[in-house]
Amino acid sequence: MPFDRYNRDIDYLRISLTDACNLRCVYCMPEQMTFRPRDELLSDAELHRLIGIFASVGFRKIRFTGGEPTLRAGLVDLVSHAAQTPGIETIGLTTNGILLEGLAAPLRAAGLRSVNISLDTLDPEKFRRITRWGKLDRVLAGLDAAAGAGLRVKLNAVVSRGTNDREDVIALARYTLEQPWQVRFIEQMPFGNNAVFQHKSIVAEEELRAVLAEAYGPLELVNHGRLDGEARLYRIAGAAGCIGFISPVSKPFCADCNRLRLTAEGVLRLCLLRDNEIDLRPLLRNGADDEALATRIREAVYDKPWGHGLGEQVIPARGMSEIGG
Ligand code: SAM
Ligand code: SF4
């Protein structure tokens, strides 16, 4: 098991498959973006090799993300390869859902078990505004296909005051009445390229719970408040699914952090919100053997910083789409 210097068991790797995206969510990236050329990204073969090495070091969970991971041509094969890697027990995918309709069944057959779909509103016009041009019906078709294929579904909504902090939260939470899904509300975080971030746009989870309680009655705490990943879970009385709150700014969960992140060009990021990084690509491309890479990964785990520094105005230079959420 890989433990860091604070005795946290780090066994979860989020892999960004591309920095490119087919949307431009206002809190994630500017409208004019230049993406990396294909040869700067890790190849499928390099990713296969790295996943094997991470598994040998003790990593058990992989999540593919981006940018938009469904833009990566080899996604289904990458999932299949990861699912067959000894030691890897869980594979997840985080997607905007736009291309999911045609991919959900092949991904399920390849070994994917769960999918996180980002969806901030059920209002088509507002969805278009937030994503700058996205079509909500594509995401809803992807969501149907995912549920129909037997994937466990989590919905992730980034909540911003004045944009989607009331009716949209109530409408999204309604899914949990009938569906065994988790609908999770996420605080917006500041990144270097995120000009729209403002502290006052963060909506505290207490406030969202009050909005939901007004609509559905008091929420019941699930799991005695123990975090599920990074989410604190609640349930509307009698509901099939859960409502989660992910509050990295107002209620940091750094003590429970169990993950590293790999950018699409092979940089290992030790904390989402700090710029401590280790570039694995030179090792990969200059002939390092598996043991040398494994040693570098173990050192990286050990050096993982304790927590973010948002309170001291430490803002990451890279954007969320480059790091992979
Ligand atoms: N494109 C995919 C998607 O949107 O799900 C995967 C990558 S995206 C960077 C991963 C997650 O990060 C999404 O749920 C997105 O809403 C979230 N995200 C992006 N920018 C954010 C920000 N500034 N604060 C909080 N979450 C953010
Ligand atoms: Fe693309 Fe996801 Fe960022 Fe939206 S949040 S711009 S879908 S990477």
Side-chain angles (χ1 to χ4, degrees), residues 18-29 65-69 94-98 118 120 130-132 158 320-322:
T18 173
D19 58 331
C21 190
N22 44 6
L23 299 179
R24 297 286 186 280
C25 303
V26 291
Y27 46 71
C28 182
M29 57 169 97
T65 176
E68 178 45 43
T94 300
T95 172
N96 61 29
I98 294 280
S118 302
D120 301 336
I130 293 173
T131 60
R132 291 206 177 89
V158 174
M320 183 73 144
S321 64
E322 264 198 283

Side-chain angles (χ1 to χ4, degrees), residues 19 32 34 56 84 161 169 185 225 234 264 281-282 290 311 324:
D19 58 331
Q32 305 304 328
T34 310
S56 74
Q84 289 166 40
R161 187 175 300 288
V169 166
F185 299 109
Y234 291 81
R281 195 174 56 174
D290 287 4

Side-chain angles (χ1 to χ4, degrees), residues 134-293:
K135 290 193 168 47
L136 177 66
D137 57 354
R138 301 313 316 141
V139 183
L140 297 182
L143 177 55
D144 271 358
L151 290 167
R152 270 196 313 277
V153 171
K154 292 182 185 172
L155 294 183
N156 287 343
V158 174
V159 179
S160 292
R161 187 175 300 288
T163 303
N164 61 342
D165 53 344
R166 221 191 136 74
E167 284 73 19
D168 306 272
V169 166
I170 293 171
L172 286 163
R174 190 169 297 123
Y175 274 129
T176 68
L177 297 177
E178 303 289 338
Q179 303 290 350
W181 304 343
Q182 257 187 41
V183 174
R184 305 167 345 148
F185 299 109
I186 303 175
E187 281 178 353
Q188 195 178 318
M189 289 173 275
F191 290 89
N193 69 344
N194 176 2
V196 300
F197 178 82
Q198 289 183 304
H199 249 280
K200 63 179 189 231
S201 67
I202 291 181
V203 188
E205 69 181 63
E206 288 76 10
E207 189 177 331
L208 293 177
R209 281 209 309 276
V211 167
L212 289 168
E214 209 180 292
Y216 297 111
L219 302 185
E220 301 164 353
L221 191 60
V222 172
N223 285 341
H224 308 287
R226 267 196 310 279
L227 290 182
D228 178 73
E230 61 274 71
R232 209 177 323 280
L233 296 182
Y234 291 81
R235 192 187 298 278
I236 297 169
C242 293
I243 293 169
F245 297 94
I246 301 180
S247 312
V249 185
S250 64
K251 290 196 171 71
F253 37 82
C254 306
D256 292 304
C257 187
N258 64 344
R259 63 204 61 179
L260 296 185
R261 292 174 167 83
L262 185 68
T263 70
E265 79 278 20
V267 171
L268 199 53
R269 185 95 193 166
L270 310 188
C271 168
L272 171 64
L273 295 163
R274 284 190 188 269
D275 288 328
N276 308 50
E277 297 182 337
I278 288 163
D279 194 353
L280 295 180
R281 195 174 56 174
L283 287 175
L284 272 172
R285 295 195 175 170
N286 293 330
D289 64 14
D290 287 4
E291 193 39 49
L293 277 153

Side-chain angles (χ1 to χ4, degrees), residues 40-78:
E40 284 191 13
L41 308 188
L42 296 185
S43 66
D44 290 359
E46 286 170 328
L47 283 168
H48 290 171
R49 182 174 172 214
L50 273 183
I51 288 169
I53 297 171
F54 272 97
S56 74
V57 167
F59 280 67
R60 296 289 167 254
K61 181 172 176 188
I62 301 269
R63 171 170 300 281
F64 292 113
T65 176
E68 178 45 43
T70 59
L71 295 179
R72 178 106 181 195
L75 174 63
V76 174
D77 285 344
L78 281 164

